[in-house]
Amino acid sequence: MTVVGVTIIPIMVQKYQSPVRVYKHPFELVMAAYERRFPTCHLIPMFVASDVVDEETSEDGSTNRIERRCALDVDAPRLLKRIAGVDYVYFIQKNTLNRKERTLHIESHNETFSNRVIIHETCCYSVHPENEDWTCFEQTASLDIKSFFGFESTVEKIAMKQYASSIKKGKEIIEYYLKELEDEGITHVPRWTPSSLSLPLPRPTSLSSPPVLPKLAITPAVSIPLAAEAKDDKLDADYIKRYLGDLTPLQESCLIRLRKWLQETHKGKIPKDEHILRFLRARDFNMDKAREILCQSLTWRKQHQVDYLLETWSSPQVLQDYYTGGWHHHDRDGRPLYILRLGQMDTKGLVRALGEESLLRHVRNTTSNVRPVSVWITVDLEGLNMRHLWRPGVKALLRIIEVVEANYPETLGRLLILRAPRVFPVLWTLVSPFIDENTRKKFLIYAGNDYQGPGGLVDYIDKEIIPDFLGGECMCEVPEGGLVPKSMYRTAEELENEDVRLWTETIYQSASIFKGAPHELLIEIIDASSVITWDFDVCKGDVVFNIYHSKRAPQAPRKDPLGAHGITSPGGNNVQLIDKSWTLGQDYSMVESPLTCKEGESVQGSHITRWPGFYILQWKFHNMPACSATNLPRVDDVLATLQVSSHKCKVMYYTEVLGSEDFRLLFSVQSTPVLSLTTPSSSSSSSCSVFFL
């Protein structure tokens, strides 16, 4: 019997999901080993007893249902047991063994203190999807501590401790009994057949050679961060340990749950597991915080087309000549080494010649090369002086730090700051508040030539690759920098126009949605059977997406001057088209069922137009349903209401109109599954059709 313990937020249900464990043994043999855990198991000292309270077998013997009452001696302080008035905690476990389908489903819940603590666990043993001689084990659980005599935090810690100690033994216990069966000569149990009950018990046979698996289905998709096709695969425990490192059971749960959430909300455009794990580590495995910054980063990547920068953008010549940063070999552990000669960089000249946005794009282009491995950065500050504290230059540096921290967390292995001058503390005071605490711990700062001795640069980088300007013998190709000629400076107006051009150089547009002020987009259709496609991200708040049709054109776009509660709508990103005097069903009609989209979701879809005319795509503020007067509000509703209390939402969207032939051709070329693509038979009967680009 497994006891589940997870991190608890008071009055909130916490969930746990384990990775898939694989036993390289047939299902029937694993079941024989599993049954040896009852009525007690000496490998789990806390599992002291179990009694069968009910059992039922189908007529053909293929299905067996058994219910047990299990007693656990929880390792809790004697004072707490005395206050609670119990020595043992009792659980009810219901097992359903289907020999025909080769599955075992287990459900368990606590009987003791069920009015104060609710523990619910489901487990499943099943046949491996690609090797019928292997067995998979999956587990999910939830824990809800409502109240416990004021010891809620203590109960949480006890449950977590018990769970952490027992989860590690889960696989070992099955392996132990499998070995015990082997020692007894039982190495094969025949599969169930309709006549198997009348057959004598199987004779022990010799152990056969282990099956060879050509490829394992339970492995994560290997994909680029935003172009992966959604797969319903599951993470395997062995894969996690081999490729992602040792994680605690709770950390594994966070990774799996966040990955599953992304699969459900981002329609196949999910990052690699290593990428997700970095965001979790950056927020100490706080699911909500990690999900928030990861969604913001995915939106940022899409808006700035980061995954295509290497193909679509090249650095201006002035950056190639005067930007004093570049890659230089690897450290002793094989991690890429990036050298930045900040003291030799004319930050003022670069900003005056290029603008802040060009510098940011260069950083995006550089970081696009970063693989999911830790990177070493060496910053040489020789030459740093007060001219580097020029305010626009510092502002650009802070934006660069902000971009890297928000979108490339936990990619820094170590940062060595060498030859720090007296002015450095001033610069550090300005930039350090913008650097995450976990990242600051990776900084090593050396003043003067202290880095050349023991404990310095040679401890991390092989002597033969130390750059010549740092006292080594290796020629480094990083530009030496120097002052950018003033003849290359641009006027303030030119810089502003360039920054605006780079900022808006994207196929996506952004819009703000206020309570009472939706954002609407007009699309005129001349040929019936055209296809309107869309792709949008909900960056903030929850919205409702609608599509309407009208035979007559709306009036000129109306910008909402004041949002709800007198909030000024940002210029140009909130447009309303449907006149308040229009009547739904007369002046215009709904052609798709409303689609509610949650914050962080990425939505792609299409609509085949049935009539020519004017189509209006609308993003509307989602009002939370009012709580019933006779029922207490649910915690989720209360939290969601607080979350959207600002009465403002934000979306980033892209739309395109394709001819029906072009759309079919695009679908054929992409070879992607269409979930639904039907012409609506009435004005409001169809749902949003989703496809993957």
Side-chain angles (χ1 to χ4, degrees), residues 45 556 608 667 675:
I608 300 180
F667 166 71
L675 301 187

Side-chain angles (χ1 to χ4, degrees), residues 104 482 561:
L104 172 64

Side-chain angles (χ1 to χ4, degrees), residues 86 102 136 174 280-281 303 314 380 540 570 584 611 641:
V86 298
R102 305 179 75 194
C136 295
I174 294 295
L280 285 167
R281 282 175 171 152
Q303 183 176 17
S314 58
D380 179 22
K540 179 181 180 181
L584 184 63
W611 311 279
T641 303

Side-chain angles (χ1 to χ4, degrees), residues 147-373:
S147 64
F148 203 84
F149 311 107
F151 290 89
E152 290 80 10
S153 178
T154 302
V155 172
E156 172 194 344
K157 293 178 180 178
I158 292 173
M160 184 182 300
K161 178 182 178 182
Q162 295 289 167
Y163 173 74
S165 62
S166 62
I167 192 66
K168 294 180 180 180
K169 296 181 180 179
K171 188 174 182 179
E172 296 176 4
I173 292 172
I174 294 295
E175 296 285 0
Y176 173 85
Y177 286 120
L178 286 169
K179 181 64 168 59
E180 189 175 81
L181 287 169
E182 179 185 349
D183 292 342
E184 296 175 6
I186 303 175
T187 58
H188 174 72
V189 177
R191 297 184 186 180
W192 179 89
T193 61
S195 59
S196 61
L197 290 182
S198 61
L199 297 176
L201 291 176
R203 292 177 176 270
T205 60
S206 61
L207 182 65
S208 59
S209 301
V212 178
L213 182 65
K215 68 172 184 176
L216 186 60
I218 310 178
T219 54
V222 178
S223 57
I224 61 176
L226 289 178
E229 180 183 353
K231 295 185 178 181
D232 191 25
D233 50 3
K234 301 169 183 178
L235 291 186
D236 172 68
D238 292 335
Y239 159 83
I240 291 177
K241 185 175 182 179
R242 178 178 299 178
Y243 296 106
L244 303 180
D246 289 322
L247 302 178
T248 68
L250 298 182
Q251 291 172 343
E252 291 176 344
S253 174
C254 289
L255 172 62
I256 295 168
R257 288 166 54 207
L258 182 52
R259 185 176 186 267
K260 182 178 180 181
W261 182 85
L262 287 168
Q263 286 177 325
E264 294 173 351
T265 58
H266 281 67
K267 311 301 180 185
K269 301 181 179 181
I270 65 171
K272 295 180 180 180
D273 300 316
E274 301 97 318
H275 196 74
I276 299 173
L277 188 58
R278 291 189 184 280
F279 282 84
L280 285 167
R281 282 175 171 152
R283 290 299 179 267
D284 296 323
F285 287 88
N286 183 305
M287 270 278 295
D288 294 334
K289 291 181 179 180
R291 180 171 58 188
E292 179 182 0
I293 62 171
L294 179 54
C295 288
Q296 291 173 356
S297 178
L298 294 178
T299 301
W300 173 84
R301 296 183 73 93
K302 179 182 288 187
Q303 183 176 17
H304 295 285
Q305 303 289 287
V306 172
D307 296 299
Y308 305 100
L309 276 180
L310 295 176
E311 304 170 5
T312 60
W313 190 76
S314 58
S315 299
Q317 189 62 43
V318 65
L319 271 176
Q320 298 177 30
D321 294 338
Y322 295 97
Y323 186 83
T324 57
W327 298 102
H328 178 76
H329 298 283
H330 297 77
D331 74 335
R332 290 185 181 274
D333 295 323
R335 292 174 290 192
L337 173 63
Y338 189 85
I339 293 181
L340 180 63
R341 303 184 68 180
L342 187 59
Q344 305 298 315
M345 187 182 298
D346 182 10
T347 53
K348 179 178 181 179
L350 288 175
V351 173
R352 291 289 299 273
L354 294 169
E356 186 178 300
E357 198 60 37
S358 283
L359 282 177
L360 277 173
R361 181 158 295 203
H362 180 69
V363 172
R364 295 186 204 120
N365 190 54
T366 301
T367 49
S368 294
N369 284 301
V370 177
R371 298 177 296 159
V373 295

